[in-house]
């Protein structure tokens, strides 16, 4: 679904190549895999480390990073993925609004949901920038910057 949303926003709904579909599928599988690992083992991590959201659990960050890659990878070039990752980390650390509320949920859902919400927020910001560029300049802002550089 994020793939189609990005394609719609950027006006590139042409038939995707097999490589693109395999990449989206791989990132989707990795997002799901790391989410399931987080849900499966986070209860034991909470008990072992004595904290509601142990820093040692990083599978939730991996799940959110792969989710960002699904949606950000098709906005333009590799550097957009880097911008997306930095934005994801900022949102995950600052925990504004609903991200902070989800982080306060007890147990394993609180560990995972705040990171996934940060990933979705990151994608909305990146897609908003791309859409704004299309409205104002008639081209995707990320593509225009990549072509100019």
């Amino acid at each position: 679904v994020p793939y189609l949303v990005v394609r719609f926003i950027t006006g590139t709904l042409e038939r995707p190549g097999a490589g693109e579909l395999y990449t989206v599928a791989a990132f989707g599988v990795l997002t799901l895999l790391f989410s399931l690992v987080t849900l499966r083992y986070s209860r034991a991590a909470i008990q072992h480390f004595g904290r509601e959201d142990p820093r040692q659990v990083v599978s939730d960050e991996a799940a959110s990073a792969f989710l960002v890659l699904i949606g950000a990878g098709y906005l333009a070039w590799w550097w957009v993925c880097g911008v997306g990752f930095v934005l994801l980390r900022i949102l995950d650390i600052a925990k504004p609004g609903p991200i902070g509320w989800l982080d306060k949920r007890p147990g394993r859902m609180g560990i995972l949901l705040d990171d996934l919400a940060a990933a979705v927020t990151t994608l909305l910001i990146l897609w908003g920038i791309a859409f704004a560029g299309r409205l104002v300049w008639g081209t995707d802002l990320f593509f225009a910057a990549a072509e100019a550089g």
Side-chain angles (χ1 to χ4, degrees):
V1 172
Y3 173 79
L4 293 176
V5 171
V6 171
R7 289 295 191 169
F8 175 76
I9 289 173
T10 60
T12 57
L13 273 174
E14 73 274 357
R15 186 179 172 132
E20 290 177 330
L21 293 178
Y22 291 141
T23 302
V24 168
F27 288 158
V29 167
L30 288 169
T31 300
L32 181 63
L33 176 70
F34 280 109
S35 295
L36 292 174
V37 165
T38 301
L39 293 175
R40 171 68 176 96
Y41 294 105
S42 57
R43 183 176 293 146
I46 290 169
Q47 291 173 348
H48 179 76
F49 294 110
R51 297 180 60 183
E52 277 298 316
D53 192 355
R55 291 179 300 191
Q56 295 85 350
V57 176
V58 294
S59 55
D60 53 335
E61 275 85 9
S64 62
F66 283 115
L67 181 58
V68 167
L69 286 174
I70 291 172
Y74 294 98
L75 284 174
W77 310 104
W78 62 270
W79 61 270
V80 177
C81 295
V83 169
F85 181 75
V86 170
L87 184 56
L88 171 66
R89 295 306 307 141
I90 290 170
L91 289 171
D92 187 35
I93 292 167
K95 301 192 186 310
I99 299 169
W101 180 78
L102 289 169
D103 184 55
K104 289 177 179 47
R105 290 182 54 97
R108 55 191 180 169
M109 293 306 285
I111 292 175
L112 180 62
L113 290 179
D114 71 307
D115 292 289
L116 295 180
V120 169
T121 304
T122 298
L123 289 174
L124 290 174
I125 291 169
L126 291 174
W127 295 344
I129 292 169
F131 188 65
R134 184 160 287 287
L135 288 177
V136 174
W137 292 285
T139 185
D140 183 312
L141 189 60
F142 294 120
F143 283 117
E147 290 171 0

